Amino acid sequence: MKYYIIAGEASGDLHGSNLMKALYKEDTDANIRFWGGDLMQEVGGTLVKHYKELAFMGFVEVLFHLKTILGNIKICKKDITDFQPDVIIFIDYPGFNLRIAKWAKENNFKTHYYISPQIWAWKESRISDIKCDVDKMYVILPFEKDFYETKHHFPVEFVGHPLIDAIHNQPAIDEKVFRTQNQLNEKPIIAILPGSRKQEITKMLSVMLSVVNYFPDYQFVIAGAPSQEFSFYENFITNENIKFVSNKTYDLLKIASAALVTSGTATLETALFKVPEIVCYKGSWVSYQIAKRIITLKYISLVNLIMDEEVVTELIQDDCTTKRIEEELKKILDSNYRATLLHKYDDLEEKLGGIGASEKTAKLIVGDLK
């Protein structure tokens, strides 16, 4: 059968690659065309567009690149028409994917959505489009099933979180070799995950690293984003207890004693690696005031949202200070507190459905087509 997959970001590329592997197992004659990245390309199929050509974030940036975005939509529609897939599989990336889904439905293509847009956080009005234009929805967060089915009367399949697969499939590392290769000493590690965008990193690193001198027995290791050069981080490395590794976040989390993490998927990844963490977020005053009015969630970290309780401490805006980070970091480095937290992490992984999200989704897609 013929599958057309659209992933528009790095995370979509990761989860799309694992879904493709599972589709090839379920359907040995699978013919796949896709929008994605290097990981999906390594699996096979035909790459139409790389996500690096699609990643426009922010209102101004989107306006500036509107011609390119509209051109990509036109290319996508034509490519689907020429390919005539048995199903189109959308992976998150709602701004682009929901437009294509509307057109696809009007043109009698099957539309399956893997990894729901986070409409439970904002733009809940998109539910009307989803109900009209999406034939099957596969959700990865347990509360999303209740959100769609109970609140909006739209049936979905909860398949578990693909991050569990991605993390379980990680090869083991030799800690001694990793430390040597990255000029890390023998001190225990506090991982610093400040995000991936320059503005975000600049704001977060300053406050995260402000506690270094209070913990002389630890080394603070910045997890460099693949999208940023080392030269950008250099000015922040002002102390012998501040180290840096680039594009090796998972390997770093495997050996970290604790972590300071900016909100986002990284909060969930850190928990699944069983690393005690503090979630830190500080935006501009204007951005924070706008976000506070648009997003009406109890928590900002996925860990707490999934567990529906404050498992990990969230230090947001005015709470994100040197003093508060120092206090909370001392707490999560305490062995008794850590034991309780790690037990909660086990509950979290169980709640997320365990391993096999990609395989479950592939079986459901192929089963539906057959």
Side-chain angles (χ1 to χ4, degrees):
M1 283 180 282
K2 294 159 82 174
Y3 306 83
Y4 200 97
I5 304 175
I6 306 174
E9 297 155 311
S11 59
D13 181 36
L14 170 64
H15 302 319
S17 68
N18 288 325
L19 178 63
M20 284 171 67
K21 287 173 193 171
L23 284 170
Y24 280 128
K25 280 183 187 174
E26 284 296 312
D27 179 3
T28 52
D29 296 320
N31 181 1
I32 302 176
R33 284 180 74 82
F34 63 91
W35 294 48
D38 299 343
L39 296 175
M40 292 172 78
Q41 200 165 15
E42 284 170 15
V43 177
T46 304
L47 174 67
V48 181
K49 277 266 186 183
H50 199 288
Y51 70 79
K52 286 178 181 174
E53 297 179 58
L54 311 174
F56 305 120
M57 298 189 70
F59 183 70
V60 175
E61 193 181 13
V62 167
L63 276 180
F64 189 71
H65 292 96
L66 192 58
K67 187 177 178 183
T68 304
I69 293 166
L70 293 174
N72 284 334
I73 289 170
K74 189 176 180 181
I75 289 166
C76 187
K77 289 176 180 178
K78 184 180 186 307
D79 198 58
I80 291 170
T81 303
D82 292 344
F83 185 54
Q84 288 294 305
D86 293 292
V87 64
I88 304 169
I89 303 166
F90 304 99
I91 301 180
D92 200 358
Y93 200 54
F96 187 90
N97 275 336
L98 286 175
R99 282 189 174 206
I100 299 296
K102 183 175 183 59
W103 168 86
K105 190 68 178 170
E106 288 168 354
N107 287 272
N108 299 314
F109 290 104
K110 277 203 169 191
T111 54
H112 288 208
Y113 218 118
Y114 177 46
I115 306 181
S116 163
Q118 294 182 348
I119 65 167
W120 37 267
W122 73 306
K123 290 196 176 180
E124 191 170 342
S125 58
R126 281 176 163 166
I127 184 63
S128 56
D129 291 333
I130 288 171
K131 290 172 87 167
C132 286
D133 304 328
V134 176
D135 294 321
K136 299 281 182 180
M137 174 71 81
Y138 309 101
V139 300
I140 63 173
L141 298 171
F143 64 78
E144 289 178 322
K145 187 170 176 66
D146 184 57
F147 170 83
Y148 276 109
E149 295 190 343
T150 305
K151 187 172 184 181
H152 292 292
H153 312 292
F154 180 65
V156 299
E157 294 279 356
F158 171 61
V159 293
H161 205 296
L163 264 183
I164 296 176
D165 295 344
I167 288 168
H168 276 271
N169 292 337
Q170 285 286 305
I173 63 164
D174 184 316
E175 182 173 343
K176 191 173 180 181
V177 171
F178 180 80
R179 285 177 182 262
T180 303
Q181 286 176 341
N182 294 282
Q183 291 82 53
L184 305 180
N185 57 43
E186 295 305 310
K187 289 181 179 179
I189 289 168
I190 295 171
I192 306 292
L193 280 62
S196 59
R197 295 193 290 280
K198 278 190 176 178
Q199 189 178 359
E200 175 183 53
I201 295 166
T202 301
K203 191 169 277 288
M204 295 314 306
L205 262 183
S206 301
V207 68
M208 286 171 158
L209 294 174
S210 68
V211 300
V212 169
N213 291 332
Y214 297 102
F215 299 89
D217 296 330
Y218 292 84
Q219 57 188 321
F220 288 68
V221 184
I222 301 166
S227 55
Q228 307 297 342
E229 298 293 328
F230 171 66
S231 57
F232 170 65
Y233 294 94
E234 258 185 306
N235 291 335
F236 296 97
I237 303 173
T238 57
N239 184 303
E240 63 178 10
N241 274 347
I242 301 173
K243 311 289 184 182
F244 176 84
V245 300
S246 180
N247 199 19
K248 294 176 183 171
T249 302
Y250 279 13
D251 288 345
L252 180 62
L253 287 173
K254 286 173 192 171
I255 61 172
S257 298
L260 304 180
V261 188
T262 301
S263 63
T265 306
T267 63
L268 183 57
E269 291 170 317
T270 302
L272 292 174
F273 273 105
K274 308 300 164 68
V275 180
E277 66 181 300
I278 302 164
V279 177
C280 306
Y281 185 77
K282 209 175 180 77
S284 71
W285 185 85
V286 174
S287 296
Y288 178 66
Q289 293 303 318
I290 292 170
K292 203 164 66 167
R293 285 156 177 77
I294 294 173
I295 301 169
T296 55
L297 299 173
K298 277 199 288 186
Y299 308 107
I300 65 166
S301 75
L302 279 171
V303 176
N304 293 343
L305 283 168
I306 292 162
M307 296 297 286
D308 197 25
E309 62 175 298
E310 191 174 41
V311 173
V312 296
T313 299
E314 298 181 354
L315 300 179
I316 305 168
Q317 208 63 10
D318 293 339
D319 283 334
C320 191
T321 63
T322 302
K323 187 174 186 299
R324 290 288 286 116
I325 294 172
E326 180 200 355
E327 290 170 354
E328 294 301 329
L329 191 48
K330 282 179 179 173
K331 196 185 290 183
I332 65 172
L333 290 170
D334 174 77
S335 56
N336 290 328
Y337 189 89
R338 288 168 66 83
T340 304
L341 184 56
L342 295 178
H343 180 70
K344 290 283 188 182
Y345 282 174
D346 290 337
D347 293 342
L348 169 74
E349 186 164 344
E350 191 176 325
K351 217 169 185 183
L352 284 172
I355 60 172
S358 306
E359 286 76 11
K360 288 173 197 168
T361 307
K363 280 183 191 296
L364 288 165
I365 292 170
V366 174
D368 181 72
L369 295 180
K370 285 180 177 176

